[in-house]
């Protein structure tokens, strides 16, 4: 029995790319969960060059999640993942949770996951300073985002800082599978 277990574990590690970190594997699992919900994951698409200031975005009505890697090449190939790329994945996937939290995935509606008090705690836990918080509020105000939209962004920004890919994957399953079964 123990030999079979050790053999299975060794096969698992042999099938992984030598350069893949645990964090990269967790984020790939997270993106697999996203795809299992019927959301198309697009990495380094032409949109990335057109919207150069964005790291990623989620089109909820189209059920498309875009990730624009920091070190992307013009040919669109996937490059080595950075910490910011991983943060972007967690941030954008959190928007899926908000999408499911107010109805059904892809229905065009978003609802914050946390209560106001919980959000304040997550922001504090994220280490976000008041100055940084104000910068985000100012940026999204300039972009003509509603106060509701700003709250959604602050929730996704701070959650991506304090939650692992596996934590977000579990939350995504819990919220979206429940909502999509209605």
């Amino acid at each position: 029995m123990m030999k079979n277990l050790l053999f299975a574990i060794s096969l698992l590690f042999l099938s992984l790319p030598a350069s893949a970190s645990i964090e990269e594997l967790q984020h790939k699992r997270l993106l697999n969960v996203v795809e299992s919900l019927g959301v198309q994951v697009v990495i380094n698409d032409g949109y990335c060059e057109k919207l150069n200031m964005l790291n990623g975005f989620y089109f909820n009505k189209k059920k498309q999640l875009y990730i624009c890697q920091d070190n992307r090449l013009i040919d669109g190939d996937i490059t080595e993942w950075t910490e910011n790329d991983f943060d972007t994945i967690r941030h954008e996937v959190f928007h899926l949770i908000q999408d499911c939290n107010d109805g059904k995935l892809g229905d065009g509606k978003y609802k914050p996951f946390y209560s106001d008090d919980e959000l304040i705690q997550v922001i504090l836990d994220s280490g976000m300073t008041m100055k940084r918080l104000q910068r985000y509020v100012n940026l999204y105000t300039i972009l003509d985002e509603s106060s509701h939209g700003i709250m959604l962004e602050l929730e996704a920004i701070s959650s991506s800082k304090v939650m692992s890919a596996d934590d977000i994957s579990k939350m995504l399953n819990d919220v979206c599978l429940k909502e999509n079964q209605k």
Side-chain angles (χ1 to χ4, degrees):
M1 177 75 143
M2 185 63 136
K3 283 183 183 181
N4 290 342
L5 178 61
L6 291 174
F7 179 71
I9 291 171
S10 66
L11 284 179
L12 174 67
F13 281 104
L14 286 174
S15 68
L16 299 176
S19 61
S21 68
I22 298 295
E23 188 171 26
E24 183 175 347
L25 296 173
Q26 289 175 347
H27 285 82
K28 284 183 180 180
R29 273 197 311 264
L30 176 57
L31 292 176
N32 286 338
V33 171
V34 169
E35 288 177 327
S36 76
L37 292 170
V39 176
Q40 179 187 12
V41 175
V42 182
I43 300 171
N44 297 336
D45 184 77
Y47 273 121
C48 295
E49 294 307 315
K50 291 177 189 171
L51 305 171
N52 196 26
M53 67 179 237
L54 295 179
N55 293 318
F57 47 97
Y58 170 56
F59 285 146
N60 70 347
K61 288 185 180 179
K62 291 184 176 185
K63 292 187 180 178
Q64 295 175 326
L65 182 123
Y66 288 79
I67 303 297
C68 303
Q69 288 184 288
D70 289 339
N71 300 321
R72 65 186 173 273
L73 304 173
I74 292 176
D75 63 10
D77 285 347
I78 296 174
T79 62
E80 188 172 332
W81 294 97
T82 67
E83 288 302 316
N84 185 58
D85 294 335
F86 293 142
D87 182 73
T88 300
I89 291 170
R90 294 188 306 272
H91 172 105
E92 296 305 332
V93 172
F94 204 87
H95 287 309
L96 272 76
I97 294 167
Q98 295 165 330
D99 184 9
C100 288
N101 202 37
D102 190 24
K104 189 174 180 179
L105 187 67
D107 67 356
K109 301 175 186 173
Y110 291 95
K111 179 181 173 188
F113 181 79
Y114 302 117
S115 68
D116 290 348
D117 289 342
E118 290 170 327
L119 178 56
I120 290 168
Q121 188 59 55
V122 171
I123 290 171
L124 290 171
D125 291 346
S126 75
M128 192 183 312
T129 64
M130 186 56 80
K131 186 175 182 179
R132 168 110 18 221
L133 180 66
Q134 191 59 54
R135 279 188 198 157
Y136 284 128
V137 171
N138 291 342
L139 169 66
Y140 288 108
T141 301
I142 289 168
L143 294 173
D144 204 28
E145 190 63 65
S146 67
S147 59
H148 177 71
I150 292 171
M151 293 304 288
L152 293 168
E153 285 300 330
L154 293 176
E155 185 177 77
I157 291 165
S158 56
S159 295
S160 70
K161 305 287 186 221
V162 299
M163 296 179 73
S164 70
D166 285 346
D167 292 337
I168 291 176
S169 183
K170 181 181 180 330
M171 184 184 284
L172 182 65
N173 267 320
D174 291 348
V175 175
C176 290
L177 289 179
K178 174 185 73 175
E179 288 305 320
N180 285 326
Q181 292 174 350
K182 288 183 178 179

